[in-house]
Amino acid sequence: MNAIYVDDERSAHVNFYYDMKDRPEIQTLTCFFKAGEALDHARSHIVDCAFLDVELGGGENGLDLADQLRKIYPNVEVVFVTAYDHYARDAYRLGGRAYLSKPYDQQELGETVALLMRLTKAHRKEAEQGKEFKDRVEIKTFGNFDLLVDGRPVAFKNAKAKELLAFLVQQRGGTVNGPQVLMALWEHLEYSGITSTYVRRTVRALREELERLEVGDIFVYKRNCYSIDPALVHCDYYDLMAGVEKAKSQYNGEYMSQYSWGESIIPLIERKVGAMGA
């Protein structure tokens, strides 16, 4: 594991370093006196777990630091190491995995490190599985809309199911409901008990198609609300909006050409391309 330790007392650094230096689970251990130094490190180095004192001096505290670290690494495991027991409730409320009271004993520290190692392995396995899944699914929006799975274009049996997928991709993870889907895919119809069946049948057809391809996890649905999980797909439109230069070169002035509702997004794309410069 790649660990950091943050405490404003020099003696605490020395003690913690010697307690941890021979533990095989610890790949790297970097110690800091200030929260800002720890955050600068986290922005350029992988951090699997953080051991944090609560009171860091200078108006800083480990509870706030834990919150900031999670913005960089959502799965970082946090252990609070402090002499002040009254912080325990807040520490656990903020997602602290453990709370070590100074002076902690070696058995307690060893059990905590072993727990963090198991959790870190689980996080890494989950991340790798997510990457493997994402590498299978590619979505092209510049020009005509197409879905590719394992490098092969998908020939949808149901044209409206493909259009629904395209409409959801355009939302970039945002949720739409049945009336919104009907308005986009059947623009001349009003939502009613009868026309709502068009939406439900199309949703079912899309789910079945994606499940047949074993990529059903990209489609998120719950109680007449639908979306796509952007974290599970590669998409040229998403890359462009994230500022990826390669995506800019792929844009040819056309976006989801077969769907008229896609025209509303072209000005947004053009502004992004312009902002990225030559």
Side-chain angles (χ1 to χ4, degrees), residues 114-129:
L115 170 62
L116 297 182
M117 189 69 234
R118 291 195 299 272
L119 293 169
T120 297
K121 286 181 177 179
H123 293 324
R124 290 176 178 175
K125 182 178 180 181
E126 181 179 326
E128 184 60 30
Q129 290 174 337

Side-chain angles (χ1 to χ4, degrees), residues 75-135:
N75 289 327
V76 67
E77 296 294 345
V78 175
V79 177
F80 292 99
V81 187
T82 182
Y84 302 99
D85 289 338
H86 61 273
Y87 286 118
R89 179 176 296 179
D90 286 339
Y92 284 115
R93 179 177 58 82
L94 292 172
R97 185 60 65 177
Y99 190 93
L100 298 178
S101 296
K102 298 177 183 177
Y104 49 81
D105 60 53
Q106 294 302 309
Q107 180 178 348
E108 185 182 16
L109 180 61
E111 291 173 351
T112 299
V113 171
L115 170 62
L116 297 182
M117 189 69 234
R118 291 195 299 272
L119 293 169
T120 297
K121 286 181 177 179
H123 293 324
R124 290 176 178 175
K125 182 178 180 181
E126 181 179 326
E128 184 60 30
Q129 290 174 337
K131 180 179 182 301
E132 291 174 357
F133 187 100
K134 183 174 180 177
D135 286 344

Side-chain angles (χ1 to χ4, degrees), residues 231-244:
L232 297 181
V233 303
H234 283 293
C235 177
D236 50 7
Y237 172 43
Y238 296 171
D239 286 347
L240 178 66
M241 299 311 292
V244 177

Side-chain angles (χ1 to χ4, degrees), residues 60-78:
E60 297 181 332
N61 69 77
L63 302 175
D64 291 339
L65 176 55
D67 187 52
Q68 293 298 315
L69 285 170
R70 287 203 181 86
K71 292 179 181 178
I72 303 173
Y73 293 105
N75 289 327
V76 67
E77 296 294 345
V78 175

Side-chain angles (χ1 to χ4, degrees), residues 143-182:
N144 282 332
F145 172 82
D146 276 305
L147 169 69
L148 291 81
V149 175
D150 297 327
R152 296 186 294 272
V154 175
F156 281 79
K157 298 177 182 178
N158 186 311
K160 284 296 183 183
K162 180 177 181 178
E163 186 175 0
L164 172 59
L165 177 61
F167 183 61
L168 295 178
V169 167
Q170 180 168 286
Q171 313 310 313
R172 288 193 287 166
T175 299
V176 297
N177 57 28
Q180 291 170 311
V181 171
L182 187 84

Side-chain angles (χ1 to χ4, degrees), residues 266-276:
I266 292 179
L268 175 65
I269 294 175
E270 297 284 358
R271 286 196 297 272
K272 182 64 179 181
V273 170
M276 292 174 68

